[in-house]
Amino acid sequence: MKNSTLATKLMLAAIFLTVLIYFGVNLAAYFTDPYTTTVAYAYTGEEAVTVSGYVARSEEVLAGGGELVYSARREGERVGAGGTVALIYQSVRALEEANTLRSLEEQLQQLLYARTLAAGNQTSARLDDEITGALIKFRQGLSRGGAAPEETASALRSAVLKRTYAYSGTGALEASVASLQEQISALSAAADPGTARVTAPRAGLFSSLVDGYESVLTPEAVLGMTPADYRTLSPEEGAAGVGRMVYGLEWYFLTLMRSEDVGRMQRGDTVTIRFQSGLDRDAEMRVAAISAEDGGRRVVVFSSERNLGLITLLRQQNAQIIFDSHAGVRVPRSSVRVDTQPVTDDEGNPVLDGSGNPRTQTMTCVYCLWGNTARLKPVTVLWQEDEYILVTPDEEGLSAFPARSREGRRLRAGDQVITAAADLYDGKVIR
């Protein structure tokens, strides 16, 4: 029994000693190994400044309002002159009945469409594609704004309903059509005749929001705005309406910028503006106006004739003004070096200068792991930040090496870049 206990203790001691030695060796290697690496990856660096400002358009408020209003148009929908944009009802009951009537008419249109479709594989495939498209748009609406737009949800419901009746046959379909037509006739006959229509004074885009800036941020006002004017901007008090009409094609974004940032732009220049919310794409805009300096600041007005239908709800916005962008490979600042290498021909032989001495070429480079050796890869610096540098392969530097080895010396995303090393040179065995 004593011999067994002693053997167990000796075995445990041996295991503990082995583990201790293992960790000791690895710890020593960690502190004595002078080589550290990191993965290079593709990256786009941007020269940008963050600002806040206002979106301006040529707008007109549509008189009317209250809780008994139904907007007959979608946000950003184009409306012709005299077209109905909203309906104002005299009572809550009239509004509820009108909403019921609209719902029944929508269902009837869906059923009539389903009735016109012939049965068969082609019809099923067509409806399946319609449902798939509606689902994709519904999901995109959720991902952009947290809730799907009503028109997207309606399109999805419509597609599913059509597919359901395509399966169930024409008997049930005809009975549903007849029932809906009877309900619509009854509700239409009892409709309140006192409903008031709001129409568009002239052709433009409809927007359901009224915020009081419609008469303040006019194109004429923003193009001539000074820093003092900008600092006192405020919406018109008591502004109300059933919506507004947006005219023309051009819209504006104005902001108060530091003069040193404005100095990088001139009137007529094109810049990229990325809004914080409300527009899911970068906007290419032209510098339309730059005010005189006041307190180290200037009002800058940008204009665009694209995406007007997508920005009808935008007003106060935070945005990034992107002056320039650079796409390349991101590496740590500590990995970029300047080195001198001999120039060789395609056979790997040294190239001599006029005096018969081997030619050399000084190049900016990084060293990457190539098997168990360090390989020099020439690069051109595109953009620098405090912690990283954006680079791209240097074609002139690559020409100093034999043609057969140039692709292997081209820096790519995913390369293991050596960030710290002692006495590093091309071809040095480091592992």
Side-chain angles (χ1 to χ4, degrees), residues 40 46 175 191 201-202 278 315 398 412:
E46 295 176 336
R202 53 195 178 100
R315 185 64 79 189
L398 288 170
R412 293 181 172 86

Side-chain angles (χ1 to χ4, degrees), residues 238-255:
V242 299
R244 61 191 175 199
M245 293 297 297
V246 179
Y247 301 125
L249 296 175
E250 197 164 22
W251 58 280
Y252 307 87
F253 177 67
L254 62 151
T255 180

Side-chain angles (χ1 to χ4, degrees), residues 23 59 287:
F23 281 108
E59 301 168 306
V287 180

Side-chain angles (χ1 to χ4, degrees), residues 43-50 257 261 264-265 270-274 320-327 382-385 388 390:
Y43 186 79
T44 300
E46 295 176 336
E47 300 179 53
V49 60
T50 301
M257 297 180 63
D261 293 330
R264 309 175 67 174
M265 298 180 294
T270 299
V271 298
T272 300
I273 297 185
R274 181 176 299 149
Q320 277 190 314
I321 300 175
I322 303 170
F323 301 110
D324 201 0
S325 63
H326 309 276
L382 298 177
W383 177 250
Q384 300 186 48
E385 289 289 347
Y388 72 88
L390 202 62

Side-chain angles (χ1 to χ4, degrees), residues 84-284:
T84 300
V85 296
L87 299 170
I88 302 177
Y89 295 91
Q90 302 301 314
S91 66
V92 174
R93 180 180 176 182
L95 176 59
E96 291 175 347
E97 289 178 348
N99 287 335
T100 302
L101 180 59
R102 277 186 286 269
S103 177
L104 293 175
E105 289 175 340
E106 181 183 355
Q107 293 179 45
L108 179 61
Q109 291 300 319
Q110 294 166 358
L111 295 185
L112 292 175
Y113 177 79
R115 189 171 66 180
T116 62
L117 297 177
N121 291 335
Q122 184 176 3
T123 298
S124 298
R126 180 178 176 181
L127 290 173
D128 288 342
D129 289 343
E130 190 174 340
I131 292 174
T132 300
L135 279 170
I136 292 173
K137 290 182 179 179
F138 187 79
R139 179 66 183 87
Q140 290 173 341
L142 289 175
S143 63
R144 284 196 298 264
E150 176 58 31
E151 59 267 21
T152 306
S154 177
L156 179 57
R157 289 193 299 268
S158 175
V160 173
L161 181 62
K162 295 169 189 175
R163 191 69 168 92
T164 301
Y165 277 109
Y167 272 127
S168 62
T170 58
L173 179 60
E174 293 297 340
S176 297
V177 168
S179 175
L180 282 174
Q181 288 174 334
E182 290 179 3
Q183 296 178 61
I184 290 171
S185 297
L187 280 175
S188 298
D192 186 350
T195 301
R197 293 181 178 272
V198 180
T199 59
R202 53 195 178 100
L205 303 180
F206 173 73
S207 176
S208 59
L209 178 67
V210 176
D211 58 14
Y213 283 103
E214 290 80 10
S215 59
V216 176
L217 294 175
T218 64
E220 296 77 13
V222 302
L223 290 173
M225 189 167 290
T226 66
D229 296 332
Y230 184 95
R231 295 184 182 101
T232 58
L233 276 177
S234 62
E236 180 184 357
E237 294 184 5
V242 299
R244 61 191 175 199
M245 293 297 297
V246 179
Y247 301 125
L249 296 175
E250 197 164 22
W251 58 280
Y252 307 87
F253 177 67
L254 62 151
T255 180
L256 193 63
M257 297 180 63
R258 297 180 304 176
S259 295
E260 54 264 37
D261 293 330
V262 178
R264 309 175 67 174
M265 298 180 294
Q266 294 182 354
R267 185 176 177 181
D269 287 351
T270 299
V271 298
T272 300
I273 297 185
R274 181 176 299 149
F275 292 102
Q276 187 178 52
S277 61
L279 186 63
D280 60 351
R281 66 197 69 183
D282 291 347
E284 296 293 326

